[in-house]
Structures are given as structure tokens and as C-alpha cells.
Amino acid sequence: MTDHPLGKWLNMRMDRAPELQPVSVQELQDWQFDRLRQTMFQAVRNCPFYHERLAGVQTGAVHTPADLEHIPFTTADDLRSGPENFLCASQDEVARAVTLASSGSSGPPKRLFFTAGDLERTIEFFQYGMSPMIKKDENILAILPDSRPGGVGSLFSESISLIGGETILPVNPSYISTLLNLLLDTHASCILGPAIQIHALARMLESKGITINHVRSVLLCWDVLPQASMQTISRVFDCEIFSHWGMTETCLGGGVDCCGGSGMHLREPDFFLEIINPATGKQVPDGHKGEIVISTISRRAMPLIRYRTGDVGCIMPGQCSCGLPLRRLGAVEGRLDDGIILPGGSRMDLNEFNNIILAQKDILDFTVEYQPDELALSFKLDVLPGSRPTPEVKQMLMEYHKIKQACDNHNLNISTRLAKQDGTIHSGFGKRSITVKPPKASV
Ligand SMILES: [Zn+2]
């Protein structure tokens, strides 16, 4: 039994009466594979890329996840090398094109295209997914980019207005003092945004000794969720913490918790998600971590078949206690390409640095830069005004086993220095990452 709004949404998307109990997990999967076969049929017929990539592949024989393993992957490089080759609709039907610069490489950007219908389905997912978090006449502070028509901020505002709420979109996500004033002035009952901004907001509230009781829920999205930040946010706001996962390739919305910490119910009427071992390309069982791969099943402008997202996550085993048949994604812990190999061979990813550094009470944000030829790992710290925690942070880093080993045995050099100290942070709307400096000779 479920009365969750996403159950109503799922029924409507499956052309069933909204008030019916949702279908079973197996019925949902069968329906998805029916849509997936249709998508592949259309893609082979209309997209130059898939016409070639899926030539000779029996797409009509794909009925189960195991069958899907015979279908070749699509990669980010495929998207970069010719985004127009993925178009399944005419240019006239494209309502929005999004260009994504490649982080850390000088390669061509990815471009993604959406029809008005593709965007409508995202608004609908946001509307039903957000319903447990916000009520009519309430305000939501949404730290989201792009308030232009078709942009994520604009789509999100539309979905909230369908619930009867009001969205406040801050212009600059790096001005934490301004975010704080907006939060206090608008009495927002929900805050949505990347974990780093909400973390900084919580740290600033705490440092000023301000207690607020109007925030009923926080939704963390668009980037990895550091455990250290989750603890701070949960303590300061003392409310339910929800998570969302999504990327431009999923048409922004991807999965959302039905209640705090439940695991993110996937947007199954719009894509089928697999988790694979990135080394072998084979699917892994539920509960095992791997690379997230998506196949769109409703996308009109630009279908993606077995697209390797580069994000790391896992499907939570079993069905949610809310009764929805939508599978759940566990916390997305990072990207395959956001790690560095320290001298001595240990791998460190951004979230490990997050969990060490963000646990320090004066830190709002930080950047990390690695220079392998100089064996130098440097950190710039954005801190609460008036604080100077550089020695403490350096010590915390040096005590972490992997870093200690690299320093003691392989001469790794750690430096920490203060950066922003005026209540602003380095991070904007983009995803945070580790910067790796190329060897000096090749600069
Ligand atoms: Zn649930």
C-alpha cells in the first residue's frame, strides 16, 4: 500500500488511474523494457549515431536487464564527438540545448537537446517528488542555476508553483551571508541545493548563534554528499534531510528520497538504470557499488542507450517500506574520474578530502590541487570570518592513514592556506573537483 505522490505520478505515466495501487516491481520492469525496445527502434531509425552503433544488434530481443548486456555502451566521448548525430527529432522540435564544458580536459563540450515534452516530464517529476517537502503557500530557497526558460531553476520554479509554493532563486550561490539573509527574510520552509552551500550556510548560522525553526526539510542535490556535511546540516537545521540525484543527461531530475534517508526512488518511467563494474562492463548485483548507466525510455529529442554516466552509486536491495515499486539509488559517492593516486599508490577521492576537512567547524569550503611532479598537495580554505584553522586542518590531513603513508614514505608535501575569509566561498553552481596540475615541462 502506498499513498506517496510518486505512486500517483507513476500510475499517470503508465496510463493508469492515479488512485490505483501502483504496479508490482516486475510489471514496472516489463513496461520499461517495452518502452526501451521502442526507444531503440526509433533511435536506430532516426539517429545517425545509433543507426551505426546498433547496426546488426537485435534490439527487439531485449526483454530483461541481462539481455541489455548485449547492447554496446554510449560514452561521454561519443556525445562530445558529434552531439547532433544523436538527434532523433527535428531541430524545430528542440526547445532547449544545454552545453556542458568538459571538466579538467580541453576536449569539445557535450551538448544535449530536449523537446518541450522532455522538459514537461521533468517538471512533473519535480512536482510529485517535491510534494512531501513543501506545501501550498510555503517558500523554498533553491540554490539552483539558470532561471532562463528551460533552465533547471526555471523548471524547478514551475514545478513548485504547481504545488502552490514560491521558489526563491539566489543569484550568486557563493555569497553565503546573502543566502543566510534570504533564508531569514523569506522564512523558507525548505532549502534545496548542493551540499557544500547548505553546509556553509549551516556553519554560518551556528557561528552566529542563530536558531531557526521554520526549515522543515532540506534537499541536497547536484553533487556528492559528504557525510561530514550531512551531519552538520542535520544538526543545525534539525529537520528531515532528503537527497536527489540527477544530471543533464537524465534531463536534470533522476531520483529522490521518498522520506529522509530512504534511498532515492528512480525516475523509472523515463529511464532504466543499471550499475556496472567499470572495469569489466558487467552488471553488478543490487547492493554493490559501480558505475551508473542509464537508458532513456521516454526522451524524444535525444535518446541515450546504455550511457555511462561516470557517477558511482548502488541500487539498494529490496523494496522501500513506502510500497512504491520504483527502485532506489543509494547515496552517490562521487565520480570515477574525481580521484588522484598519491605517491605510493593509494587512491584518494574528493569525498575523502571532504570528510576530513569539512568536519572542522570553521571550514565553509575548500579547493584541492595536486601537482604530481612536485609531490605537492595544496589546499585553499574558505573559512568563517575571523577564524584561522590552517594548522588544525593540516594536522587532520597528515593524520589520515593514506596521506600519512605518502608523506612518511614518499615525500608528499602538504600545504594549507587561507583563501576566502569574508563569508563567501569558492564553489558556484558547478560540481566540485580535484585540480590536477600538469608537469611543469608540458605547461
Ligand atoms: Zn519509498
Side-chain angles (χ1 to χ4, degrees), residues 175-184 200-212 236 361-362 364 383-386 421-424:
Y175 286 52
I176 303 305
S177 313
T178 314
L179 294 182
L180 178 57
N181 289 337
L182 272 177
L183 177 65
L184 298 174
L201 196 53
R203 287 287 190 209
M204 196 167 277
L205 266 170
E206 203 168 39
S207 75
K208 288 177 183 287
I210 303 173
T211 314
I212 52 171
V236 172
K361 67 178 176 46
D362 296 317
L364 298 181
V383 298
L384 284 168
Q421 305 167 55
D422 58 356
T424 65

PDB file of all heavy atoms in Angstrom, residues 175-184 200-212 236 361-362 364 383-386 421-424:
ATOM      1  N   TYR A 175      27.829  33.593  -2.207  1.00  0.00           N
ATOM      2  CA  TYR A 175      27.674  34.591  -1.141  1.00  0.00           C
ATOM      3  C   TYR A 175      26.826  33.995  -0.018  1.00  0.00           C
ATOM      4  O   TYR A 175      25.607  34.132   0.000  1.00  0.00           O
ATOM      5  CB  TYR A 175      27.010  35.870  -1.686  1.00  0.00           C
ATOM      6  CG  TYR A 175      27.917  36.711  -2.538  1.00  0.00           C
ATOM      7  CD1 TYR A 175      28.606  36.151  -3.607  1.00  0.00           C
ATOM      8  CD2 TYR A 175      28.102  38.064  -2.289  1.00  0.00           C
ATOM      9  CE1 TYR A 175      29.452  36.912  -4.395  1.00  0.00           C
ATOM     10  CE2 TYR A 175      28.946  38.838  -3.074  1.00  0.00           C
ATOM     11  CZ  TYR A 175      29.617  38.244  -4.124  1.00  0.00           C
ATOM     12  OH  TYR A 175      30.449  38.990  -4.902  1.00  0.00           O
ATOM     13  N   ILE A 176      27.487  33.361   0.908  1.00  0.00           N
ATOM     14  CA  ILE A 176      26.755  32.617   1.940  1.00  0.00           C
ATOM     15  C   ILE A 176      26.000  33.582   2.869  1.00  0.00           C
ATOM     16  O   ILE A 176      24.890  33.284   3.297  1.00  0.00           O
ATOM     17  CB  ILE A 176      27.713  31.693   2.733  1.00  0.00           C
ATOM     18  CG1 ILE A 176      28.439  30.739   1.757  1.00  0.00           C
ATOM     19  CG2 ILE A 176      26.957  30.885   3.777  1.00  0.00           C
ATOM     20  CD1 ILE A 176      27.543  29.908   0.875  1.00  0.00           C
ATOM     21  N   SER A 177      26.591  34.761   3.138  1.00  0.00           N
ATOM     22  CA  SER A 177      25.886  35.721   4.006  1.00  0.00           C
ATOM     23  C   SER A 177      24.570  36.143   3.354  1.00  0.00           C
ATOM     24  O   SER A 177      23.554  36.301   4.039  1.00  0.00           O
ATOM     25  CB  SER A 177      26.730  36.974   4.237  1.00  0.00           C
ATOM     26  OG  SER A 177      28.023  36.618   4.568  1.00  0.00           O
ATOM     27  N   THR A 178      24.581  36.319   2.019  1.00  0.00           N
ATOM     28  CA  THR A 178      23.354  36.702   1.315  1.00  0.00           C
ATOM     29  C   THR A 178      22.332  35.561   1.373  1.00  0.00           C
ATOM     30  O   THR A 178      21.133  35.803   1.572  1.00  0.00           O
ATOM     31  CB  THR A 178      23.669  37.029  -0.168  1.00  0.00           C
ATOM     32  OG1 THR A 178      24.807  37.862  -0.204  1.00  0.00           O
ATOM     33  CG2 THR A 178      22.506  37.670  -0.869  1.00  0.00           C
ATOM     34  N   LEU A 179      22.812  34.321   1.217  1.00  0.00           N
ATOM     35  CA  LEU A 179      21.893  33.172   1.316  1.00  0.00           C
ATOM     36  C   LEU A 179      21.239  33.145   2.700  1.00  0.00           C
ATOM     37  O   LEU A 179      20.043  32.887   2.826  1.00  0.00           O
ATOM     38  CB  LEU A 179      22.644  31.854   1.095  1.00  0.00           C
ATOM     39  CG  LEU A 179      23.234  31.576  -0.284  1.00  0.00           C
ATOM     40  CD1 LEU A 179      23.896  30.195  -0.301  1.00  0.00           C
ATOM     41  CD2 LEU A 179      22.144  31.618  -1.349  1.00  0.00           C
ATOM     42  N   LEU A 180      22.057  33.447   3.711  1.00  0.00           N
ATOM     43  CA  LEU A 180      21.547  33.429   5.081  1.00  0.00           C
ATOM     44  C   LEU A 180      20.447  34.481   5.258  1.00  0.00           C
ATOM     45  O   LEU A 180      19.384  34.196   5.825  1.00  0.00           O
ATOM     46  CB  LEU A 180      22.711  33.686   6.052  1.00  0.00           C
ATOM     47  CG  LEU A 180      22.382  33.742   7.531  1.00  0.00           C
ATOM     48  CD1 LEU A 180      21.716  32.461   7.994  1.00  0.00           C
ATOM     49  CD2 LEU A 180      23.641  33.985   8.351  1.00  0.00           C
ATOM     50  N   ASN A 181      20.695  35.687   4.729  1.00  0.00           N
ATOM     51  CA  ASN A 181      19.685  36.749   4.842  1.00  0.00           C
ATOM     52  C   ASN A 181      18.408  36.361   4.103  1.00  0.00           C
ATOM     53  O   ASN A 181      17.306  36.595   4.597  1.00  0.00           O
ATOM     54  CB  ASN A 181      20.228  38.063   4.284  1.00  0.00           C
ATOM     55  CG  ASN A 181      21.292  38.627   5.198  1.00  0.00           C
ATOM     56  OD1 ASN A 181      21.328  38.300   6.385  1.00  0.00           O
ATOM     57  ND2 ASN A 181      22.184  39.447   4.659  1.00  0.00           N
ATOM     58  N   LEU A 182      18.573  35.771   2.920  1.00  0.00           N
ATOM     59  CA  LEU A 182      17.394  35.332   2.149  1.00  0.00           C
ATOM     60  C   LEU A 182      16.585  34.307   2.932  1.00  0.00           C
ATOM     61  O   LEU A 182      15.355  34.353   2.975  1.00  0.00           O
ATOM     62  CB  LEU A 182      17.837  34.686   0.834  1.00  0.00           C
ATOM     63  CG  LEU A 182      18.037  35.576  -0.383  1.00  0.00           C
ATOM     64  CD1 LEU A 182      18.534  34.758  -1.554  1.00  0.00           C
ATOM     65  CD2 LEU A 182      16.717  36.261  -0.758  1.00  0.00           C
ATOM     66  N   LEU A 183      17.302  33.388   3.554  1.00  0.00           N
ATOM     67  CA  LEU A 183      16.637  32.331   4.328  1.00  0.00           C
ATOM     68  C   LEU A 183      15.834  32.933   5.479  1.00  0.00           C
ATOM     69  O   LEU A 183      14.685  32.552   5.714  1.00  0.00           O
ATOM     70  CB  LEU A 183      17.696  31.357   4.864  1.00  0.00           C
ATOM     71  CG  LEU A 183      17.204  30.229   5.752  1.00  0.00           C
ATOM     72  CD1 LEU A 183      16.302  29.286   4.973  1.00  0.00           C
ATOM     73  CD2 LEU A 183      18.378  29.451   6.343  1.00  0.00           C
ATOM     74  N   LEU A 184      16.445  33.910   6.176  1.00  0.00           N
ATOM     75  CA  LEU A 184      15.768  34.526   7.329  1.00  0.00           C
ATOM     76  C   LEU A 184      14.605  35.408   6.869  1.00  0.00           C
ATOM     77  O   LEU A 184      13.520  35.386   7.456  1.00  0.00           O
ATOM     78  CB  LEU A 184      16.766  35.343   8.156  1.00  0.00           C
ATOM     79  CG  LEU A 184      17.913  34.534   8.774  1.00  0.00           C
ATOM     80  CD1 LEU A 184      18.913  35.456   9.454  1.00  0.00           C
ATOM     81  CD2 LEU A 184      17.392  33.503   9.768  1.00  0.00           C
ATOM     82  N   ALA A 200      27.858  25.298   4.249  1.00  0.00           N
ATOM     83  CA  ALA A 200      28.415  26.611   4.620  1.00  0.00           C
ATOM     84  C   ALA A 200      27.353  27.460   5.335  1.00  0.00           C
ATOM     85  O   ALA A 200      27.647  28.154   6.316  1.00  0.00           O
ATOM     86  CB  ALA A 200      28.933  27.322   3.373  1.00  0.00           C
ATOM     87  N   LEU A 201      26.133  27.362   4.844  1.00  0.00           N
ATOM     88  CA  LEU A 201      25.015  28.088   5.451  1.00  0.00           C
ATOM     89  C   LEU A 201      24.821  27.623   6.910  1.00  0.00           C
ATOM     90  O   LEU A 201      24.648  28.434   7.835  1.00  0.00           O
ATOM     91  CB  LEU A 201      23.769  27.786   4.613  1.00  0.00           C
ATOM     92  CG  LEU A 201      22.525  28.629   4.737  1.00  0.00           C
ATOM     93  CD1 LEU A 201      22.841  30.097   4.553  1.00  0.00           C
ATOM     94  CD2 LEU A 201      21.498  28.188   3.673  1.00  0.00           C
ATOM     95  N   ALA A 202      24.869  26.318   7.109  1.00  0.00           N
ATOM     96  CA  ALA A 202      24.690  25.751   8.457  1.00  0.00           C
ATOM     97  C   ALA A 202      25.824  26.203   9.379  1.00  0.00           C
ATOM     98  O   ALA A 202      25.590  26.600  10.526  1.00  0.00           O
ATOM     99  CB  ALA A 202      24.642  24.229   8.379  1.00  0.00           C
ATOM    100  N   ARG A 203      27.074  26.148   8.876  1.00  0.00           N
ATOM    101  CA  ARG A 203      28.226  26.586   9.684  1.00  0.00           C
ATOM    102  C   ARG A 203      28.094  28.061  10.080  1.00  0.00           C
ATOM    103  O   ARG A 203      28.424  28.446  11.204  1.00  0.00           O
ATOM    104  CB  ARG A 203      29.524  26.399   8.899  1.00  0.00           C
ATOM    105  CG  ARG A 203      29.965  24.956   8.749  1.00  0.00           C
ATOM    106  CD  ARG A 203      30.489  24.410  10.056  1.00  0.00           C
ATOM    107  NE  ARG A 203      31.127  23.108   9.903  1.00  0.00           N
ATOM    108  CZ  ARG A 203      31.170  22.190  10.857  1.00  0.00           C
ATOM    109  NH1 ARG A 203      30.583  22.401  12.021  1.00  0.00           N
ATOM    110  NH2 ARG A 203      31.783  21.056  10.666  1.00  0.00           N
ATOM    111  N   MET A 204      27.604  28.880   9.148  1.00  0.00           N
ATOM    112  CA  MET A 204      27.497  30.304   9.434  1.00  0.00           C
ATOM    113  C   MET A 204      26.389  30.573  10.461  1.00  0.00           C
ATOM    114  O   MET A 204      26.573  31.361  11.387  1.00  0.00           O
ATOM    115  CB  MET A 204      27.250  31.070   8.150  1.00  0.00           C
ATOM    116  CG  MET A 204      27.514  32.534   8.341  1.00  0.00           C
ATOM    117  SD  MET A 204      27.616  33.430   6.821  1.00  0.00           S
ATOM    118  CE  MET A 204      29.284  33.147   6.343  1.00  0.00           C
ATOM    119  N   LEU A 205      25.272  29.887  10.306  1.00  0.00           N
ATOM    120  CA  LEU A 205      24.181  30.022  11.277  1.00  0.00           C
ATOM    121  C   LEU A 205      24.669  29.663  12.672  1.00  0.00           C
ATOM    122  O   LEU A 205      24.427  30.385  13.644  1.00  0.00           O
ATOM    123  CB  LEU A 205      23.042  29.053  10.905  1.00  0.00           C
ATOM    124  CG  LEU A 205      21.906  29.566  10.049  1.00  0.00           C
ATOM    125  CD1 LEU A 205      21.040  28.412   9.602  1.00  0.00           C
ATOM    126  CD2 LEU A 205      21.056  30.569  10.839  1.00  0.00           C
ATOM    127  N   GLU A 206      25.388  28.546  12.737  1.00  0.00           N
ATOM    128  CA  GLU A 206      25.871  28.040  14.023  1.00  0.00           C
ATOM    129  C   GLU A 206      26.837  29.044  14.654  1.00  0.00           C
ATOM    130  O   GLU A 206      26.766  29.328  15.845  1.00  0.00           O
ATOM    131  CB  GLU A 206      26.571  26.689  13.797  1.00  0.00           C
ATOM    132  CG  GLU A 206      26.631  25.817  14.998  1.00  0.00           C
ATOM    133  CD  GLU A 206      27.070  24.401  14.628  1.00  0.00           C
ATOM    134  OE1 GLU A 206      27.961  24.229  13.761  1.00  0.00           O
ATOM    135  OE2 GLU A 206      26.499  23.459  15.193  1.00  0.00           O
ATOM    136  N   SER A 207      27.738  29.604  13.806  1.00  0.00           N
ATOM    137  CA  SER A 207      28.757  30.521  14.351  1.00  0.00           C
ATOM    138  C   SER A 207      28.121  31.806  14.868  1.00  0.00           C
ATOM    139  O   SER A 207      28.628  32.443  15.775  1.00  0.00           O
ATOM    140  CB  SER A 207      29.799  30.842  13.292  1.00  0.00           C
ATOM    141  OG  SER A 207      29.266  31.747  12.350  1.00  0.00           O
ATOM    142  N   LYS A 208      26.995  32.211  14.281  1.00  0.00           N
ATOM    143  CA  LYS A 208      26.332  33.436  14.724  1.00  0.00           C
ATOM    144  C   LYS A 208      25.371  33.169  15.885  1.00  0.00           C
ATOM    145  O   LYS A 208      24.734  34.091  16.398  1.00  0.00           O
ATOM    146  CB  LYS A 208      25.536  34.046  13.554  1.00  0.00           C
ATOM    147  CG  LYS A 208      26.429  34.681  12.474  1.00  0.00           C
ATOM    148  CD  LYS A 208      25.574  35.200  11.321  1.00  0.00           C
ATOM    149  CE  LYS A 208      26.397  35.758  10.195  1.00  0.00           C
ATOM    150  NZ  LYS A 208      27.023  37.064  10.484  1.00  0.00           N
ATOM    151  N   GLY A 209      25.221  31.903  16.236  1.00  0.00           N
ATOM    152  CA  GLY A 209      24.327  31.547  17.335  1.00  0.00           C
ATOM    153  C   GLY A 209      22.856  31.755  17.002  1.00  0.00           C
ATOM    154  O   GLY A 209      22.029  31.965  17.888  1.00  0.00           O
ATOM    155  N   ILE A 210      22.522  31.713  15.695  1.00  0.00           N
ATOM    156  CA  ILE A 210      21.116  31.924  15.300  1.00  0.00           C
ATOM    157  C   ILE A 210      20.408  30.561  15.275  1.00  0.00           C
ATOM    158  O   ILE A 210      20.909  29.608  14.684  1.00  0.00           O
ATOM    159  CB  ILE A 210      21.025  32.546  13.881  1.00  0.00           C
ATOM    160  CG1 ILE A 210      21.801  33.858  13.827  1.00  0.00           C
ATOM    161  CG2 ILE A 210      19.561  32.749  13.463  1.00  0.00           C
ATOM    162  CD1 ILE A 210      21.917  34.458  12.438  1.00  0.00           C
ATOM    163  N   THR A 211      19.265  30.491  15.920  1.00  0.00           N
ATOM    164  CA  THR A 211      18.471  29.266  15.857  1.00  0.00           C
ATOM    165  C   THR A 211      17.217  29.569  15.051  1.00  0.00           C
ATOM    166  O   THR A 211      16.539  30.565  15.315  1.00  0.00           O
ATOM    167  CB  THR A 211      18.042  28.805  17.272  1.00  0.00           C
ATOM    168  OG1 THR A 211      19.183  28.877  18.108  1.00  0.00           O
ATOM    169  CG2 THR A 211      17.497  27.390  17.252  1.00  0.00           C
ATOM    170  N   ILE A 212      16.923  28.748  14.066  1.00  0.00           N
ATOM    171  CA  ILE A 212      15.686  28.957  13.306  1.00  0.00           C
ATOM    172  C   ILE A 212      14.854  27.684  13.375  1.00  0.00           C
ATOM    173  O   ILE A 212      15.391  26.588  13.511  1.00  0.00           O
ATOM    174  CB  ILE A 212      15.951  29.338  11.824  1.00  0.00           C
ATOM    175  CG1 ILE A 212      16.894  28.332  11.148  1.00  0.00           C
ATOM    176  CG2 ILE A 212      16.480  30.735  11.684  1.00  0.00           C
ATOM    177  CD1 ILE A 212      16.999  28.546   9.664  1.00  0.00           C
ATOM    178  N   VAL A 236      22.220  21.316  12.604  1.00  0.00           N
ATOM    179  CA  VAL A 236      21.864  22.736  12.657  1.00  0.00           C
ATOM    180  C   VAL A 236      20.396  22.964  12.303  1.00  0.00           C
ATOM    181  O   VAL A 236      19.706  23.735  12.966  1.00  0.00           O
ATOM    182  CB  VAL A 236      22.795  23.555  11.734  1.00  0.00           C
ATOM    183  CG1 VAL A 236      22.319  24.992  11.615  1.00  0.00           C
ATOM    184  CG2 VAL A 236      24.216  23.503  12.261  1.00  0.00           C
ATOM    185  N   LYS A 361      35.161  22.773  12.278  1.00  0.00           N
ATOM    186  CA  LYS A 361      33.995  23.651  12.447  1.00  0.00           C
ATOM    187  C   LYS A 361      34.101  25.016  11.762  1.00  0.00           C
ATOM    188  O   LYS A 361      33.092  25.672  11.536  1.00  0.00           O
ATOM    189  CB  LYS A 361      33.673  23.833  13.939  1.00  0.00           C
ATOM    190  CG  LYS A 361      34.729  24.596  14.715  1.00  0.00           C
ATOM    191  CD  LYS A 361      34.310  24.775  16.152  1.00  0.00           C
ATOM    192  CE  LYS A 361      35.367  25.443  16.996  1.00  0.00           C
ATOM    193  NZ  LYS A 361      36.008  26.619  16.443  1.00  0.00           N
ATOM    194  N   ASP A 362      35.309  25.463  11.428  1.00  0.00           N
ATOM    195  CA  ASP A 362      35.447  26.793  10.825  1.00  0.00           C
ATOM    196  C   ASP A 362      35.459  26.768   9.295  1.00  0.00           C
ATOM    197  O   ASP A 362      35.531  27.818   8.666  1.00  0.00           O
ATOM    198  CB  ASP A 362      36.754  27.451  11.303  1.00  0.00           C
ATOM    199  CG  ASP A 362      36.728  27.682  12.803  1.00  0.00           C
ATOM    200  OD1 ASP A 362      35.685  28.128  13.303  1.00  0.00           O
ATOM    201  OD2 ASP A 362      37.741  27.385  13.466  1.00  0.00           O
ATOM    202  N   LEU A 364      34.157  26.508   5.572  1.00  0.00           N
ATOM    203  CA  LEU A 364      32.946  26.632   4.761  1.00  0.00           C
ATOM    204  C   LEU A 364      33.098  25.848   3.454  1.00  0.00           C
ATOM    205  O   LEU A 364      32.157  25.236   2.957  1.00  0.00           O
ATOM    206  CB  LEU A 364      32.681  28.105   4.433  1.00  0.00           C
ATOM    207  CG  LEU A 364      32.435  29.046   5.624  1.00  0.00           C
ATOM    208  CD1 LEU A 364      32.176  30.461   5.130  1.00  0.00           C
ATOM    209  CD2 LEU A 364      31.255  28.564   6.464  1.00  0.00           C
ATOM    210  N   VAL A 383      36.972  30.092   4.965  1.00  0.00           N
ATOM    211  CA  VAL A 383      36.678  29.906   6.395  1.00  0.00           C
ATOM    212  C   VAL A 383      35.693  30.947   6.918  1.00  0.00           C
ATOM    213  O   VAL A 383      35.438  31.962   6.263  1.00  0.00           O
ATOM    214  CB  VAL A 383      37.983  29.979   7.223  1.00  0.00           C
ATOM    215  CG1 VAL A 383      38.937  28.878   6.836  1.00  0.00           C
ATOM    216  CG2 VAL A 383      38.646  31.350   7.079  1.00  0.00           C
ATOM    217  N   LEU A 384      35.174  30.688   8.092  1.00  0.00           N
ATOM    218  CA  LEU A 384      34.307  31.667   8.760  1.00  0.00           C
ATOM    219  C   LEU A 384      35.120  32.922   9.051  1.00  0.00           C
ATOM    220  O   LEU A 384      36.307  32.809   9.424  1.00  0.00           O
ATOM    221  CB  LEU A 384      33.806  31.080  10.091  1.00  0.00           C
ATOM    222  CG  LEU A 384      32.695  30.036   9.985  1.00  0.00           C
ATOM    223  CD1 LEU A 384      32.507  29.343  11.336  1.00  0.00           C
ATOM    224  CD2 LEU A 384      31.384  30.686   9.542  1.00  0.00           C
ATOM    225  N   PRO A 385      34.530  34.106   8.887  1.00  0.00           N
ATOM    226  CA  PRO A 385      35.270  35.334   9.145  1.00  0.00           C
ATOM    227  C   PRO A 385      35.920  35.299  10.533  1.00  0.00           C
ATOM    228  O   PRO A 385      35.288  34.893  11.516  1.00  0.00           O
ATOM    229  CB  PRO A 385      34.191  36.428   9.057  1.00  0.00           C
ATOM    230  CG  PRO A 385      33.137  35.842   8.151  1.00  0.00           C
ATOM    231  CD  PRO A 385      33.153  34.368   8.422  1.00  0.00           C
ATOM    232  N   GLY A 386      37.191  35.672  10.581  1.00  0.00           N
ATOM    233  CA  GLY A 386      37.889  35.758  11.864  1.00  0.00           C
ATOM    234  C   GLY A 386      38.557  34.473  12.317  1.00  0.00           C
ATOM    235  O   GLY A 386      39.265  34.472  13.315  1.00  0.00           O
ATOM    236  N   GLN A 421      37.785  34.668   3.352  1.00  0.00           N
ATOM    237  CA  GLN A 421      37.537  34.820   4.794  1.00  0.00           C
ATOM    238  C   GLN A 421      36.430  35.835   5.050  1.00  0.00           C
ATOM    239  O   GLN A 421      36.339  36.415   6.126  1.00  0.00           O
ATOM    240  CB  GLN A 421      38.821  35.317   5.485  1.00  0.00           C
ATOM    241  CG  GLN A 421      40.011  34.430   5.219  1.00  0.00           C
ATOM    242  CD  GLN A 421      41.311  35.082   5.642  1.00  0.00           C
ATOM    243  OE1 GLN A 421      41.466  35.494   6.789  1.00  0.00           O
ATOM    244  NE2 GLN A 421      42.249  35.201   4.729  1.00  0.00           N
ATOM    245  N   ASP A 422      35.608  36.092   4.025  1.00  0.00           N
ATOM    246  CA  ASP A 422      34.621  37.170   4.130  1.00  0.00           C
ATOM    247  C   ASP A 422      33.173  36.664   4.012  1.00  0.00           C
ATOM    248  O   ASP A 422      32.280  37.412   3.635  1.00  0.00           O
ATOM    249  CB  ASP A 422      34.881  38.209   3.028  1.00  0.00           C
ATOM    250  CG  ASP A 422      34.813  37.584   1.640  1.00  0.00           C
ATOM    251  OD1 ASP A 422      34.637  36.339   1.541  1.00  0.00           O
ATOM    252  OD2 ASP A 422      34.916  38.319   0.645  1.00  0.00           O
ATOM    253  N   GLY A 423      32.979  35.366   4.299  1.00  0.00           N
ATOM    254  CA  GLY A 423      31.612  34.835   4.221  1.00  0.00           C
ATOM    255  C   GLY A 423      31.216  34.442   2.808  1.00  0.00           C
ATOM    256  O   GLY A 423      30.043  34.156   2.555  1.00  0.00           O
ATOM    257  N   THR A 424      32.182  34.404   1.890  1.00  0.00           N
ATOM    258  CA  THR A 424      31.901  33.857   0.552  1.00  0.00           C
ATOM    259  C   THR A 424      32.679  32.554   0.409  1.00  0.00           C
ATOM    260  O   THR A 424      33.566  32.268   1.206  1.00  0.00           O
ATOM    261  CB  THR A 424      32.330  34.824  -0.582  1.00  0.00           C
ATOM    262  OG1 THR A 424      33.751  34.970  -0.535  1.00  0.00           O
ATOM    263  CG2 THR A 424      31.673  36.177  -0.443  1.00  0.00           C
TER     264      THR A 424
END
